[in-house]
Amino acid sequence: MEFQIDRRNDLNQITTTKTFLHEKFSIKDLGNLKYFLDFEIARSQKGIHMCQKKYILKMLAEFGFLGCKRASTPMIYSVEFSENSPKLVDSSIYRTLIGKLLYLTHTRPDISQRTQHLSQFLCEPT
């Protein structure tokens, strides 16, 4: 069976889509989406706004940075990485932090470049 969705905001079409999906997958309608996969979703006349403020606060608390001051960039630009630096004893914390920062780049593209740069050192972080 082929099913086509009209892109208009038609209540009848929405109901038909929900019925079709329920028949195929046994879904439940939970109402308007507000929070999903650590994304906060808010609707307005202008469109849909997505943010990860709760995710950021949870991450800052997890790594002990909740009371720290803001910085315009996640790292100092003048820092040079060297292979001669001492290696971390437990690199799992570094890997966890980088993974969380990479997930955060969905709503914070301003940290993408530096997070990607830091992710290059996952094998042997110093």
Side-chain angles (χ1 to χ4, degrees):
M1 176 179 170
E2 188 174 315
F3 190 74
Q4 295 181 348
I5 298 174
D6 189 352
R7 293 187 183 260
R8 292 178 290 148
N9 231 356
D10 183 0
L11 187 57
N12 187 34
Q13 187 70 38
I14 292 170
T15 305
T16 305
T17 304
K18 287 180 183 179
T19 304
F20 173 78
L21 290 172
H22 180 68
E23 290 171 359
K24 295 290 183 183
F25 304 107
S26 185
I27 65 168
K28 187 194 301 187
D29 185 1
L30 299 175
N32 285 337
L33 183 64
K34 293 184 176 127
Y35 197 77
F36 184 69
L37 297 175
D38 288 320
F39 285 91
E40 296 171 68
I41 293 95
R43 296 171 185 254
S44 70
Q45 294 292 345
K46 293 181 180 181
I48 298 173
H49 175 75
M50 294 174 53
C51 74
Q52 291 178 291
K53 184 177 180 179
K54 287 182 184 178
Y55 179 77
I56 293 169
L57 292 173
K58 188 169 53 171
M59 184 175 62
L60 289 172
E62 180 181 347
F63 291 99
F65 292 110
L66 198 54
C68 293
K69 294 181 181 179
R70 288 182 170 204
S72 61
T73 177
M75 66 182 279
I76 301 167
Y77 283 97
S78 62
V79 171
E80 292 288 329
F81 292 100
S82 169
E83 293 181 13
N84 299 330
S85 300
K87 307 233 182 311
L88 292 176
V89 176
D90 181 14
S91 61
S92 63
I93 294 172
Y94 181 80
R95 288 187 184 113
T96 302
L97 177 59
I98 295 301
K100 289 177 181 270
L101 287 171
L102 285 170
Y103 188 67
L104 185 60
T105 60
H106 293 299
T107 56
R108 294 289 310 272
D110 57 316
I111 66 169
S112 293
Q113 181 185 16
R114 288 299 175 176
T115 303
Q116 186 275 332
H117 182 73
L118 292 171
S119 71
Q120 295 176 9
F121 302 96
L122 288 176
C123 291
E124 294 184 2
T126 58

